[in-house]
C-alpha cells in the first residue's frame, strides 16, 4: 500500500509545473452544460455522460462524453471526443474530434479534422479552410473553402469543395449537386460514381491500389531505417542523461540492484495507477487539471525508464568499471538487441518500463527530504 501512496505522491510532485502552467496561461471553466444565455470567458472543459454546450465561449472548448452536443458561438477551437458528437453554431477556429459518429452543421472559420466511424458535414456546414476525415463512412454535404482529404471506406460528396479532393478508399460518389473547384484524385478499386450534374473543374485522376507482397527481406529493409533511427535517438538521450547527471543515474540504479522485486512492483503500480486515477479525476470535472498533471508526470517518468534500465544492465555487465558513460553505452546496445527478438522484445519492453519507472519512484522516495509544513520566519 505504501508503494501506491508514494507513486501517487511522486506523480503530483512531478506534474506540479504542468498545473501551474495550465493555471497561468488561460482562465479555466469546468462545466458539464452551458445555457444559451450564458457567456464563458476562458477555456471551457466539459465532461459527463451528456454534454450540452450553448451560449458564447470566449476561448477554446475541450469536451468528453457519451453524447456531446455543441450549438454555440465559440471564439476559439473545439476539441471533442465521445460516442456521438454533434456540432453546430459558429466556430471561429478549428474543430478536432474523434467519436463513433460525428456530425458538423456549423460555420467553421479554419479547419476540420475528424477520426470517426461515421463523419458527416451537413448541408448547412461551411468550413473556411481544409477538411481531413478518417472514417468508415464519410459525407461532404456542405462547403469547404480549400482542400478535402478523406480516407474512408465510402465517401459521398454532394456539396462544394473550392479546391482539391483527395480520396482513398473503396467507393466514391459525387452527387448531382457536387462541385469540385480544383482537381479530383482518388485511389480505389472501383471507378467513382460521378452522377449527372456533378462538376469537377480541374482534372480527374484515378489510381488503383497496387497489390504488394511483403517478403521477409522487404519488410526488414523497410523497418531497418526506422529501427536505426530509434536506436540512435535512444542512445543520444541515454548518453546525455548519463553525461549531465551521472551520479543521479547511478543512485537510481541502486534500487533495482538492491530491491529488484520491490522496484518491479512499483513499476507495475506506475503502469496501472495513472490512467485509473486520471480517469477518476476526469469524471469529477473539477479534477480535470489534476488528470492532465497525472498524465504529464507519468509520461515524464516513463520516458526516463529506458535510460535507467539500460544503465542498470550495463552496471550488471561491467561490474569492474566505474565509467558511467561506458555502462550506459553497453546497456543501450544490449537492450536494442533484445528488443528486436520476437516475443523476447515484448518482455524486454515491459521489464524495462517496470524496472525504470519503479527505480525512479523508489529513488525519489528514499532521497527526497520529507515535507516540512512549518517554515522559519525570516
Amino acid at each position: 500500500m505504501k508503494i501506491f501512496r508514494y507513486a501517487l505522491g511522486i506523480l503530483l510532485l512531478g506534474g506540479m509545473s504542468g498545473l501551474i502552467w495550465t493555471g497561468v496561461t488561460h482562465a479555466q471553466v469546468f462545466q458539464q452544460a452551458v445555457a444559451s444565455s450564458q457567456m464563458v470567458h476562458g477555456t471551457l472543459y466539459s465532461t459527463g455522460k451528456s454534454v450540452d454546450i450553448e451560449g458564447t465561449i470566449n476561448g477554446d472548448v475541450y469536451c468528453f462524453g457519451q453524447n456531446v452536443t455543441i450549438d454555440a458561438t465559440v471564439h476559439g477551437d473545439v476539441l471533442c471526443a465521445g460516442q456521438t458528437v454533434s456540432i453546430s453554431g459558429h466556430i471561429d477556429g478549428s474543430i478536432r474530434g474523434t467519436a463513433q459518429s460525428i456530425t458538423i452543421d456549423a460555420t467553421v472559420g479554419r479547419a476540420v479534422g475528424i477520426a470517426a466511424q461515421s463523419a458527416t458535414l451537413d448541408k448547412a456546414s461551411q468550413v473556411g479552410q481544409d477538411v481531413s476525415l478518417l472514417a468508415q463512412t464519410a459525407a461532404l454535404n456542405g462547403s469547404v473553402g480549400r482542400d478535402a482529404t478523406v480516407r474512408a471506406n465510402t465517401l459521398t460528396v454532394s456539396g462544394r469543395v473550392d479546391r482539391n479532393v483527395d480520396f482513398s478508399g473503396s467507393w466514391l460518389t459525387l452527387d448531382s449537386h457536387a462541385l469540385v473547384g480544383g482537381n479530383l484524385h482518388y485511389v480505389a478499386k472501383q471507378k467513382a460514381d460521378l452522377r449527372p450534374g456533378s462538376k469537377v473543374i480541374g482534372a480527374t485522376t484515378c489510381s488503383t491500389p497496387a497489390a504488394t507482397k511483403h517478403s521477409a527481406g522487404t519488410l526488414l529493409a523497410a523497418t531497418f531505417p526506422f529501427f536505426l533511427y530509434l536506436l540512435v535517438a535512444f542512445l543520444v538521450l541515454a548518453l546525455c542523461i548519463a553525461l549531465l547527471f551521472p551520479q543521479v543515474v547511478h543512485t537510481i540504479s541502486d534500487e533495482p540492484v538492491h530491491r529488484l522485486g520491490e522496484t518491479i512492483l512499483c513499476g507495475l503500480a506506475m503502469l496501472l495507477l495513472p490512467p485509473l486515477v486520471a480517469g477518476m479525476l476526469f469524471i469529477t470535472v473539477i479534477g480535470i487539471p489534476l488528470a492532465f498533471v497525472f498524465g504529464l508526470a507519468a509520461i515524464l517518468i516513463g520516458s526516463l525508464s529506458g535510460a535507467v534500465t539500460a544503465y542498470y544492465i550495463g552496471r550488471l555487465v561491467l561490474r569492474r568499471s566505474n565509467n558511467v558513460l561506458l555502462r550506459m553505452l553497453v546497456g543501450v546496445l544490449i537492450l536494442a538487441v533484445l528488443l528486436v527478438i520476437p516475443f523476447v522484445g515484448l518482455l524486454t519492453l515491459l521489464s524495462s518500463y517496470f524496472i525504470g519507472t519503479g527505480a525512479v519512484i523508489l529513488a525519489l522516495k528514499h532521497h527526497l527530504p520529507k515535507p516540512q509544513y512549518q517554515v522559519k520566519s525570516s
Side-chain angles (χ1 to χ4, degrees):
M1 184 60 66
K2 289 184 177 181
I3 292 177
F4 289 90
R5 185 180 64 188
Y6 282 117
L8 288 173
I10 297 305
L11 280 173
L12 285 173
L13 180 63
M16 190 57 65
S17 59
L19 178 59
I20 295 174
W21 179 85
T22 301
V24 299
T25 52
H26 296 287
Q28 310 294 323
V29 180
F30 305 95
Q31 292 182 210
Q32 181 175 346
V34 177
S36 59
S37 59
Q38 187 175 358
M39 180 176 292
V40 175
H41 298 286
T43 300
L44 173 66
Y45 295 91
S46 185
T47 182
K49 184 176 181 180
S50 295
V51 174
D52 192 0
I53 300 173
E54 299 181 359
T56 301
I57 314 298
N58 294 316
D60 299 331
V61 174
Y62 296 86
C63 51
F64 174 81
Q66 183 175 348
N67 298 305
V68 177
T69 302
I70 298 177
D71 185 5
T73 298
V74 180
H75 299 299
D77 297 332
V78 172
L79 194 152
C80 280
Q83 182 176 352
T84 302
V85 176
S86 176
I87 302 175
S88 56
H90 187 96
I91 314 297
D92 284 349
S94 300
I95 295 177
R96 311 291 182 193
T98 179
Q100 182 177 351
S101 174
I102 294 184
T103 302
I104 295 178
D105 193 14
T107 299
V108 184
R110 298 181 64 187
V112 170
I114 290 176
Q117 182 177 352
S118 173
T120 302
L121 268 67
D122 274 350
K123 186 175 182 180
S125 63
Q126 298 180 13
V127 180
Q129 297 181 4
D130 302 324
V131 170
S132 300
L133 303 180
L134 177 63
Q136 183 175 352
T137 60
L140 296 175
N141 302 326
S143 63
V144 179
R146 297 199 309 199
D147 300 325
T149 303
V150 181
R151 302 293 181 262
N153 187 39
T154 61
L155 169 63
T156 302
V157 180
S158 61
R160 187 185 82 248
V161 179
D162 288 348
R163 294 202 316 201
N164 305 316
V165 173
D166 185 352
F167 170 73
S168 180
S170 299
W171 294 280
L172 170 62
T173 300
L174 264 64
D175 208 348
S176 57
H177 299 289
L179 172 62
V180 178
N183 300 324
L184 170 63
H185 175 72
Y186 63 97
V187 180
K189 295 182 179 180
Q190 298 186 9
K191 186 177 180 180
D193 182 9
L194 307 181
R195 297 180 180 177
S198 62
K199 295 181 181 180
V200 178
I201 305 302
T204 299
T205 57
C206 173
S207 300
T208 302
T212 57
K213 296 181 179 180
H214 300 287
S215 63
T218 57
L219 184 60
L220 179 61
T223 57
F224 179 74
F226 181 66
F227 169 74
L228 184 61
Y229 163 76
L230 291 180
L231 174 61
V232 173
F234 178 41
L235 180 61
V236 170
L237 173 64
L239 290 179
C240 285
I241 293 175
L243 183 65
L244 296 174
F245 311 103
Q247 191 57 48
V248 173
V249 173
H250 183 78
T251 301
I252 294 176
S253 70
D254 284 338
E255 302 301 332
V257 168
H258 302 297
R259 291 173 287 273
L260 182 59
E262 186 178 355
T263 300
I264 295 176
L265 181 60
C266 190
L268 178 62
M270 281 295 298
L271 178 66
L272 300 177
L273 276 179
L276 177 62
V277 175
M280 294 175 62
L281 288 172
F282 208 93
I283 293 175
T284 65
V285 180
I286 198 171
I288 291 178
L290 283 178
F292 284 109
V293 167
F294 275 107
L296 291 174
I299 292 173
L300 175 63
I301 295 175
S303 64
L304 299 175
S305 62
V308 171
T309 305
Y311 182 80
Y312 166 66
I313 295 175
R315 180 175 174 177
L316 294 179
V317 174
L318 302 178
R319 294 179 180 273
R320 297 183 179 181
S321 174
N322 293 324
N323 191 311
V324 175
L325 293 177
L326 182 59
R327 285 178 170 180
M328 184 68 81
L329 175 62
V330 171
V332 168
L333 295 178
I334 293 175
L335 263 183
V337 172
L338 292 176
L339 286 171
V340 298
I341 302 175
F343 184 70
V344 176
L346 178 60
L347 295 179
T348 302
L349 184 64
L350 291 175
S351 300
S352 174
Y353 179 84
F354 292 154
I355 293 174
T357 56
V360 172
I361 295 297
L362 291 178
L364 291 173
K365 165 194 168 184
H366 293 146
H367 296 283
L368 279 181
K370 294 183 179 180
Q372 300 291 334
Y373 299 104
Q374 294 182 355
V375 296
K376 296 181 180 180
S377 58
S378 57

